[in-house]
Amino acid sequence: MSSNSLDPRSIAPTVTIDGIPCYGPEFAKDHSSFPEAILQELSRVEEHSFWYRCRRRIITELTKKYLKPPSPCHYLEVGCGTGYVLQGLSQIQHLHIYASDISLEGLRRARQSNPTIRFMQLDLMHSPFEEAFDAVGAFDVLEHIPDDGAVLRNIARALKPGGYFFLTVPQHPLLWSPTDVYARHHRRYTRAGLVSLLQQENFDVCYASSFVSLLFPALVLSRVTNKGKPGSLSKAGFETSMPQWLDFICDVTLRIETFFIVRGWSFPWGGSLVIVARKRVFDNPK
């Protein structure tokens, strides 16, 4: 990555609230896509669920793999939620990390556990950044936004040419459940569909794999068993509601899965999808 990246702090915010630069203050209290009640529940669930630990581990290891030191790298996580993933990314020394969310409440929570990160309030549909970042991450964000294509265009615009885009999404529409409704998801993705969408928005996919693959039969069984029950995060079944000893077994299983993912294996099925893409570099016209 280039060491002379445009510093995102050079773009002045509209206003600053509670020490957080706001680029879309009119949306700062809009919790329609991720209500405060869900945010509070998420804070309680993440540390005690093998699924969240697995996702953070995969994201952190793939980031280390593709974003090599020693060059400094301006990295933006969009839709950072409670900041759980940031706790893994902050271990990577050469990253200059920025984190954004549309909600100020989420940013306040994330800042408590990540005091060294630069936070900003940002509406992805109206981002002011252009070629400001070497990498962007969006982890279980796209499914919350009605116009995911528009968001991908804005992310591509914020990236420098050749910049990396790391993302995770829920996979397989057939796994749609009341928990998806509760979490305000608009869709679950297929791999082919998401890869095609990324290619339309000037990204080349470097790597794609399902995860929670070795436990996929248990995940399917959980969805069938919980069909028709009220949705929640803390009682979603397989991913978040199990005895500690069973959570430990699942965690060990997915550590094995992570080992193979980081080494380039691509699992064909699983509850979620992880993709590493790169913004295309176009030659300047002569």
Side-chain angles (χ1 to χ4, degrees):
M1 294 297 167
S2 171
S3 60
N4 59 353
S5 303
L6 172 66
D7 189 336
R9 289 173 295 181
S10 65
I11 300 178
T14 304
V15 67
T16 298
I17 302 174
D18 293 343
I20 298 173
C22 296
Y23 295 93
E26 65 272 28
F27 303 105
K29 296 183 179 181
D30 179 7
H31 306 300
S32 58
S33 62
F34 214 78
E36 186 174 345
I38 296 179
L39 205 61
Q40 292 174 348
E41 190 174 6
L42 187 60
S43 297
R44 295 193 299 268
V45 165
E46 285 171 322
E47 198 62 52
H48 304 288
S49 166
F50 73 90
W51 185 88
Y52 287 100
R53 294 193 300 272
C54 167
R55 185 185 63 158
R56 183 173 68 180
R57 193 179 302 129
I58 289 171
I59 291 165
T60 303
E61 293 303 318
L62 286 177
T63 302
K64 290 178 182 177
K65 179 177 179 177
Y66 284 92
L67 301 182
K68 301 288 189 182
S71 297
C73 174
H74 290 299
Y75 185 109
L76 171 66
E77 184 189 346
V78 296
C80 66
T82 65
Y84 187 71
V85 172
L86 289 171
Q87 294 172 35
L89 294 175
S90 63
Q91 300 170 13
I92 307 174
Q93 297 299 317
H94 66 286
L95 296 189
H96 295 177
I97 301 177
Y98 301 78
S100 73
D101 204 290
I102 194 171
S103 163
L104 274 176
E105 179 58 31
L107 291 169
R108 293 186 185 105
R109 288 177 178 273
R111 186 170 58 178
Q112 290 176 4
S113 55
N114 299 278
T116 64
I117 302 296
R118 304 172 182 92
F119 288 94
M120 65 180 80
Q121 185 272 337
L122 177 67
D123 171 27
L124 281 175
M125 297 298 292
H126 304 90
S127 170
F129 297 105
E130 185 169 355
E131 296 189 5
F133 298 98
D134 299 296
V136 172
F139 308 116
D140 289 77
V141 172
L142 287 185
E143 67 273 13
H144 291 275
I145 302 171
D147 191 348
D148 52 359
V151 167
L152 290 177
R153 284 191 290 278
N154 280 334
I155 288 173
R157 189 166 63 89
L159 275 169
K160 296 177 63 180
Y164 282 97
F165 181 33
F166 300 84
L167 70 157
T168 61
V169 294
Q171 193 180 18
H172 300 306
L174 289 175
L175 290 179
W176 184 267
S177 74
T179 299
D180 289 290
V181 177
Y182 176 79
R184 305 298 198 275
H185 292 174
H186 288 274
R187 67 193 73 81
R188 297 182 73 93
Y189 288 87
T190 65
R191 182 184 306 203
L194 185 53
V195 167
S196 176
L197 183 59
L198 286 164
Q199 290 171 341
Q200 291 174 32
E201 303 303 338
N202 295 322
F203 286 102
D204 291 317
V205 174
C206 306
Y207 175 75
S209 177
S210 301
F211 65 98
V212 193
S213 301
L214 299 180
L215 300 173
F216 189 60
L219 176 60
V220 173
L221 179 61
S222 173
R223 288 293 187 269
V224 172
T225 303
N226 288 286
K227 189 174 182 179
K229 295 182 180 179
S232 74
L233 297 179
S234 59
K235 298 180 180 179
F238 173 70
E239 297 99 318
T240 60
S241 180
M242 59 174 55
Q244 186 174 357
W245 64 268
L246 188 53
D247 181 90
F248 173 78
I249 292 174
C250 291
D251 187 273
V252 171
T253 301
L254 294 186
R255 284 179 183 271
I256 297 171
E257 186 174 301
T258 302
F259 174 88
F260 288 107
I261 285 175
V262 174
R263 282 153 184 80
W265 286 43
S266 179
F267 289 90
W269 60 80
S272 294
L273 183 65
V274 59
I275 289 181
V276 181
R278 201 169 189 183
K279 181 180 176 179
R280 293 184 186 130
V281 179
F282 296 98
D283 293 331
N284 291 326
K286 296 182 180 180

